[in-house]
Every structure is written in structure tokens, then in C-alpha cells.
Amino acid sequence: VKSKRVLLEGVTFKNSPSWCLHPLSCEHITIHNVKVFNPWYSQNGDALDLESCKNALIINNIFDAGDDAICIKSGKDEDGRKSEMSGGVKNVYVTDCTFLGTDVGLRFKSTRGRGGVVEGIYIHNINMIDIPHEALLFDLFYGGKGAGEESEEDLEGRMKSSIPAVTEETPAFRDIHITNVTCKGAGRAMFFNGLPEMPIRNVHVKDVVVTDAKQGIVISQAENISIENVKIETKGTPLQVQKAKGLKVNGKTYNHSAAKALNINL
């Protein structure tokens, strides 16, 4: 906690009762060649929660956990916003990762009341296999439950609530770049689920192949999303748009605000 120039290297951790590794408000921290093995049934058995840290390197590790493998956090609600190192996540580069059988692949989640801005995220060269839910998920209606534990009715109920004004409690996702991703086996290829008062903005997805997906891409409450050279192999609709402005698919721009979904073939 609040440490500088930290190196954690070449060690193995097993069976932690809750979060395993939790650096908090640290600077210049490196976690290298570390292994974490927690049982699949361990709720909150995260391998690594990097919280409110600056200048961190997480490289050449193997994480097998019952909850999040790597979770980037910045405090929660007001406690996060009142710290100069908390309240948002920015300038993150993720590359050369393999996800095997994780509930969700790349997951961005928040909800009203938490505030903070997530921006400047670059993700490249990710390989996924057997993802039962979304390969890529943006969800600003997170309800506190794990993937697959919440019913569609619960999610729809929260989404139908009244639209509040934008304040410091409104979370924002923007300026996110995802390239060169492959996924074999997924419940749904991608789900963008922004807030009506704060859509997901400026997300660029390029050179992605998802095969054997039960569902394709669903985009709701988003602006300036770019999808280029993305191939989805699914028996369902490849791309379904609920509400979006400035959606660009392979160079063609769509604007959709009607109640009925817009279906697009990739």
C-alpha cells in the first residue's frame, strides 16, 4: 500500500480466500513471472487487482482464478473520486494475452454512482478460446453480479429507470482501441451497453475474428464506434444496433435512434 519501486517476481500463490494480489496506490510496480492458482468456485478469488496504481508493468504471468484474472481498479464511488490517483483508469496497454475458458474475455464495467473516466486504452493481439459469455463487453449497467448470474429481466429493469443528469457520479468510457483479436467459441461476440446520458464513445475495433459464437455483436447507446475488418461466425445476427450515432462499419456510417433494432451484415 502506497509503495514505490516494487518488484514481485518468480513466485506462486495458491488458494487465497479472496483477492490474491492487491497493490493499492503504488507507483513503479512490476509483477513478472508470477503464477496464481485459485479454485474455479472461489467467489471474489481474483488473481490480481491493480488499484489506483501508476506506472505498472504486468508481464509474463499465468493467472488461473475463480473470478477476475487481472482487474484494473481505481477506488469505488466517492472514496475513489476523492483520491488524486483514483476515480478513473487511463493510459493502459494490453498485448499478447491468452484467455482460456474465462467467463468474459475483455470486460469494461461500471454503473451510475461510481463516476470516473476510462480512456486511452490500447489492446492488441489477444487470443481467446471457449468464452461462455462475451468476448468483448462494455457494460455501464453493471449490477454487481458475475457474468451469467443476472437475468435479462434484471438488466432490462435497470435500463428502463429514469435518466439522471450527468454529474461527477456518471462513469464514462471513451477512446479505446482494440486490434488483432481472435476468439474461438463465445456466447456473444461483443456487447456495447452504454448509458443514455453518457454513451460509450470513440471505441475502435479492428482486425477481429470470432468463430463459433452463439450471438453476434449488439451495440446500444454508443457514439463514434468504428468496426473494421471484423468477422463474426454465428447463426444469429452478426451485428444488431439499438441506438447509436456515428457507427462506422467497414467505412460506412450508420445513425440509428429508432425503437426497432437495425441489423447489419458484416
Side-chain angles (χ1 to χ4, degrees):
V1 176
K2 295 182 180 179
S3 300
K4 295 184 179 181
R5 293 179 294 278
V6 178
L7 172 64
L8 184 61
E9 183 176 44
V11 291
T12 299
F13 298 89
K14 293 184 178 181
N15 304 326
S16 66
S18 187
W19 296 356
C20 186
L21 307 176
H22 183 205
L24 175 61
S25 298
C26 294
E27 295 186 37
H28 300 287
I29 179 170
T30 299
I31 298 177
H32 174 249
N33 194 26
V34 170
K35 299 177 182 179
V36 174
F37 299 103
N38 278 347
W40 65 267
Y41 53 81
S42 176
Q43 292 295 318
N44 294 318
D46 298 6
L48 169 64
D49 287 84
L50 191 73
E51 182 170 2
S52 303
C53 292
K54 182 177 180 180
N55 298 333
L57 286 173
I58 313 299
I59 49 178
N60 298 322
N61 303 292
I62 296 175
F63 297 140
D64 187 354
D67 207 328
D68 298 323
I70 300 175
C71 188
I72 310 297
K73 303 173 67 70
S74 58
K76 185 176 181 180
D77 301 337
E78 185 179 359
D79 287 340
R81 295 192 299 273
K82 70 184 181 183
S83 169
E84 65 179 11
M85 291 182 63
S86 300
V89 175
K90 64 180 181 179
N91 303 336
V92 177
Y93 181 56
V94 180
T95 188
D96 300 327
C97 295
T98 299
F99 304 154
L100 303 175
T102 58
D103 285 346
V104 176
L106 298 163
R107 185 180 190 184
F108 297 78
K109 65 181 183 182
S110 191
T111 193
R112 288 168 176 153
R114 291 196 174 182
V117 177
V118 176
E119 63 183 348
I121 312 297
Y122 294 82
I123 299 174
H124 177 71
N125 200 27
I126 308 295
N127 184 36
M128 311 181 197
I129 300 174
D130 295 334
I131 309 299
H133 300 288
E134 287 84 5
L136 172 59
L137 174 62
F138 291 87
D139 186 11
L140 280 147
F141 283 93
Y142 175 60
K145 295 183 179 180
E149 294 179 354
E150 183 176 57
S151 69
E152 288 290 335
E153 290 76 13
D154 289 339
L155 176 59
E156 290 176 1
R158 289 201 311 280
M159 292 174 63
K160 290 179 180 178
S161 62
S162 60
I163 300 174
V166 174
T167 69
E168 67 173 6
E169 295 185 356
T170 307
F173 293 168
R174 64 193 184 208
D175 302 330
I176 297 169
H177 307 262
I178 299 170
T179 59
N180 196 26
V181 175
T182 61
C183 177
K184 178 176 174 55
R188 178 160 50 185
M190 304 179 197
F191 186 26
F192 293 68
N193 193 27
L195 295 171
E197 70 273 19
M198 184 61 70
I200 299 163
R201 291 189 170 100
N202 302 332
V203 178
H204 305 277
V205 181
K206 182 179 179 181
D207 299 333
V208 174
V209 177
V210 181
T211 59
D212 193 22
K214 293 180 180 178
Q215 300 179 54
I217 302 171
V218 176
I219 295 177
S220 175
Q221 302 291 357
E223 292 184 7
N224 299 330
I225 307 298
S226 173
I227 295 176
E228 183 179 349
N229 192 31
V230 173
K231 299 179 181 179
I232 307 296
E233 180 188 287
T234 179
K235 293 181 180 179
T237 303
L239 174 56
Q240 186 178 83
V241 183
Q242 305 288 354
K243 291 183 179 180
K245 294 181 180 179
L247 169 64
K248 185 178 287 187
V249 181
N250 294 328
K252 185 177 180 179
T253 301
Y254 300 85
N255 289 290
H256 179 74
S257 59
K260 185 177 180 180
L262 171 67
N263 295 329
I264 302 173
N265 289 322
L266 296 175

